Structures are given as C-alpha cells and as structure tokens.
Amino acid sequence: MTTKQVWTLYSEDLKRFIISKVKDTTIADDILQDTFIKIHTKTHSLKDITKLKSWCFTVARNSILDYWKSTNKTFEIANFESESKISETIHTEKDCLRSILKNLPKKYRDPLFLSDIKGMKQQEVANELNQSLPTTKSQIQRARKLIAQGFMDCCGFVLNDDGNLVGEIKEKEDCKVCK
C-alpha cells in the first residue's frame, strides 16, 4: 500500500486522535506530518497489512510522545518557577476537595475512595472492607453528603433546585476549610 493510500484512509482519524492529545491544531498538523514521514519510511517493516490501522495509530502515539519529550527538554526553568508560583496562589475546587476529603472520617473516606476513585462496584467495596452491602452503600452516600456540606461550609456553595452544588470558590483566606 502506498503512503498516499494510507493518507487517504487514515489521515483524518489520526489527526483527530492527535488533536485529542495535544489540544492544538497547529502542533497536531506538525505531529501528523511527522507521523506520515515515519509511516512512509517504515511501511516496509509492517509484516501484516491487516494491522495497518493499529500500526499507524501506534506510530502517531509515539510521535506524540516524542513531541512531549522534546518540549519538556526545552522548557525553561525560569518559566516553570514563575508558573508554579502563580498556581500556588490560585485557590481551586481541588484545594477544597482535598481538604474536605482529608477531614472525612476514615469509615466514610475508605468506601468512597474505593467506589468513586478506584471505580470498584459497591459489592466489591463491601467485600474488601468486610462489611454488608447496605452499610457500604450508606457510608458512600453519607460521604458524598459530607463532601457537599463541606463545599457549602467552606466556600458558600448552595444546592440548586436540581440538588446540584452551585457557587464560586472564595479566596483562600476566606475559605474556612482550606486556610
């Protein structure tokens, strides 16, 4: 198969894939070009033509990784230091959530972590913690309510008519939990 045929078949899919990883169309175009240079020079090494598409995506993924490696090498330390100072002063929902989770009692934090963070089914969580399923379910629900209450106490969030938290993060010094 020629490079032109591969381009016709897969270039749009590859470009969407690359954009989803780098979030910049100009950079994605460069990476796509690099990908097709590699495809053009290495197509002869592909032993099974039925695996062409997955091979092309592997080449694209490696080109994306090469891009990230090359940008990290040229990243200036001075820029990094100034950006990290800025990010330390910005107060975000993550800061509040981290503090709220830290203050949750262990009996609520553990089941919540296993269920909502690790993605385990509630029955698996119950088995892991050697407790009944109803106990696990109530602990997870209680933990979620405590988190919502934490946001209301911490930054003045409120529940809207649909039961969703709404509001804006306050400045760190005004926050009761994150100080």
Side-chain angles (χ1 to χ4, degrees):
M1 184 171 281
T2 67
T3 305
K4 185 176 181 179
Q5 290 170 318
V6 175
W7 176 269
T8 305
L9 286 173
Y10 303 124
S11 65
E12 290 300 315
D13 291 339
L14 288 168
K15 185 170 182 177
R16 279 191 295 276
F17 171 69
I18 295 167
I19 288 172
S20 75
K21 303 300 178 198
V22 297
K23 312 288 189 231
D24 184 323
T25 55
T26 306
I27 294 170
D29 287 337
D30 291 344
I31 294 172
L32 182 65
Q33 212 170 38
D34 183 52
T35 299
F36 269 92
I37 289 170
K38 291 175 184 174
I39 288 171
H40 178 74
T41 58
K42 302 289 183 181
T43 306
H44 68 280
S45 67
L46 182 64
K47 294 181 175 108
D48 186 357
I49 196 70
T50 62
K51 297 180 180 176
L52 177 64
K53 186 173 185 178
S54 63
W55 180 76
C56 289
F57 275 87
T58 300
V59 172
R61 185 174 54 254
N62 290 337
S63 294
I64 293 166
L65 291 172
D66 291 344
Y67 163 76
W68 288 118
K69 286 178 191 172
S70 71
T71 57
N72 284 339
K73 287 179 188 170
T74 60
F75 194 72
E76 295 179 16
I77 292 174
N79 289 343
F80 176 74
E81 288 173 356
S82 64
E83 285 180 19
S84 64
K85 287 177 186 172
I86 292 169
S87 65
E88 287 173 10
T89 61
I90 297 172
H91 186 224
T92 66
E93 289 90 348
K94 288 180 184 178
D95 298 326
C96 291
L97 181 59
R98 192 174 297 116
S99 296
I100 294 167
L101 288 173
K102 197 178 353 173
N103 292 325
L104 274 181
K106 184 173 173 46
K107 74 176 191 177
Y108 299 130
R109 187 175 52 238
D110 290 349
L112 179 80
F113 176 79
L114 293 172
S115 171
D116 291 2
I117 308 298
K118 287 189 98 179
M120 294 173 67
K121 296 191 181 306
Q122 290 184 355
Q123 182 62 59
E124 295 170 333
V125 174
N127 295 343
E128 176 84 17
L129 299 174
N130 295 320
Q131 59 190 27
S132 69
L133 180 59
T135 300
T136 301
K137 285 183 174 187
S138 71
Q139 287 174 339
I140 292 169
Q141 288 305 312
R142 180 72 179 135
R144 290 174 182 160
K145 287 179 182 174
L146 287 170
I147 290 171
Q149 188 62 50
F151 272 103
M152 290 187 284
D153 294 343
C154 173
C155 287
F157 278 66
V158 294
L159 290 175
N160 67 10
D161 295 337
D162 297 326
N164 297 320
L165 278 175
V166 293
E168 293 183 20
I169 294 293
K170 294 180 179 178
E171 294 298 320
K172 192 167 189 166
E173 54 273 359
D174 297 331
C175 183
K176 297 173 188 149
V177 175
C178 302
K179 287 186 192 180

